[in-house]
Amino acid sequence: MPLFNTRVLLIAFTILGLLGVGLFHLVRDSLHEFRNEEIHKNMMWMGNSVTYFCSANYDDLARIGDVNDRVEVLLKQAETLQMIEDFVRNNGFKVLVFDGSESGYLLILSSFQREIDIGEWLSDKELYVLDKLSVGEHHFASFIIPFESWHWRIVLLKDSRAYDELFSRLNIFYLAFGLLGTTLLVVVLLFFHQRLESEKALRQS
């Protein structure tokens, strides 16, 4: 019985197909995990930077003894909010800043054109945990950091499309690589099959 008859080739193709599908799902899951890790690193870096702005300005107030001066506090908070908004915009992010004290004011709405019930959304969200927020047709990766000295909850937002495009490109790359590898294996199998068939025909002639 020839080593590479039609039945053997069909079985080999089936096995290759199943292995290819399994490998694709494995790679896709790994890419998804890598994507989330990268988003989390970006969010942590942004969060640390924003927290630094808040702490530095609060320390300025403390240094000159104006922590309890309502007017000075409001002026410093306004300055801090402007710094935060400029910083996140320059880095391609959006930001929401919510006053977590009894007033419950939304201090920054960033560049959104519609109202967001951020208080209700924040009620069941954990701090420093990567999450999602949808505003209309826009979907964002979200990350919440606190600044307890002013009772702020700062929500960093990044358009998910920025990460999804990278994820899609990597998916296409690995899919193309898998198809190329499968094609090469098929060509090799067909080559050996054809060679064996030629040798068989020569022996019979």
Side-chain angles (χ1 to χ4, degrees):
M1 177 181 175
L3 181 60
F4 289 99
N5 60 24
T6 303
R7 184 178 179 183
V8 172
L9 285 174
L10 287 174
I11 293 174
F13 292 160
T14 302
I15 293 174
L16 284 174
L18 293 174
L19 287 175
V21 171
L23 182 61
F24 174 75
H25 283 287
L26 179 63
V27 170
R28 187 185 63 177
D29 291 341
S30 298
L31 287 175
H32 186 72
E33 184 177 350
F34 170 77
R35 168 185 177 273
N36 286 340
E37 288 176 358
E38 288 301 303
I39 296 174
H40 191 266
K41 287 179 184 177
N42 288 342
M43 291 294 192
M44 282 297 298
W45 180 79
M46 290 292 296
N48 290 336
S49 301
V50 167
T51 301
Y52 171 78
F53 296 149
C54 296
S55 297
N57 285 345
Y58 182 83
D59 290 344
D60 285 345
L61 285 175
R63 193 161 37 248
I64 59 179
D66 286 337
V67 172
N68 296 317
D69 186 324
R70 185 60 179 166
V71 173
E72 290 298 326
V73 169
L74 288 174
L75 289 173
K76 186 61 73 172
Q77 287 180 338
E79 178 185 341
T80 305
L81 291 171
Q82 187 61 56
M83 290 174 64
I84 292 173
E85 189 160 27
D86 290 343
F87 177 73
V88 298
R89 186 190 302 114
N90 290 337
N91 284 278
F93 281 70
K94 294 182 183 294
V95 64
L96 303 171
V97 180
F98 182 75
D99 185 349
S101 63
E102 294 181 359
S103 63
Y105 292 132
L106 184 62
L107 304 174
I108 292 183
L109 189 60
S110 196
S111 57
F112 292 111
Q113 301 299 316
R114 56 183 295 168
E115 188 63 32
I116 303 174
D117 190 355
I118 191 67
E120 180 179 350
W121 180 80
L122 276 174
S123 61
D124 62 346
K125 301 299 179 183
E126 296 182 41
L127 302 176
Y128 303 110
V129 174
L130 193 63
D131 211 315
K132 299 177 182 178
L133 173 66
S134 296
V135 183
E137 297 179 355
H138 299 284
H139 304 286
F140 300 92
S142 65
F143 194 73
I144 305 171
I145 55 175
F147 184 64
E148 299 296 354
S149 298
W150 285 335
H151 308 290
W152 285 0
R153 291 293 181 268
I154 303 168
V155 185
L156 298 170
L157 301 169
K158 181 72 172 179
D159 195 325
S160 296
R161 289 176 298 181
Y163 298 106
D164 291 339
E165 288 174 2
L166 173 62
F167 185 60
S168 297
R169 286 198 296 269
L170 288 172
N171 263 334
I172 292 171
F173 171 78
Y174 281 107
L175 179 60
F177 183 77
L179 289 174
L180 177 61
T182 301
T183 302
L184 288 174
L185 286 172
V186 169
V187 169
V188 170
L189 288 173
L190 289 174
F191 170 77
F192 280 108
H193 175 70
Q194 186 63 36
R195 182 176 177 180
L196 288 172
E197 288 295 320
S198 298
E199 291 176 356
K200 181 181 177 182
L202 286 173
R203 285 196 301 267
Q204 291 175 348
S205 62

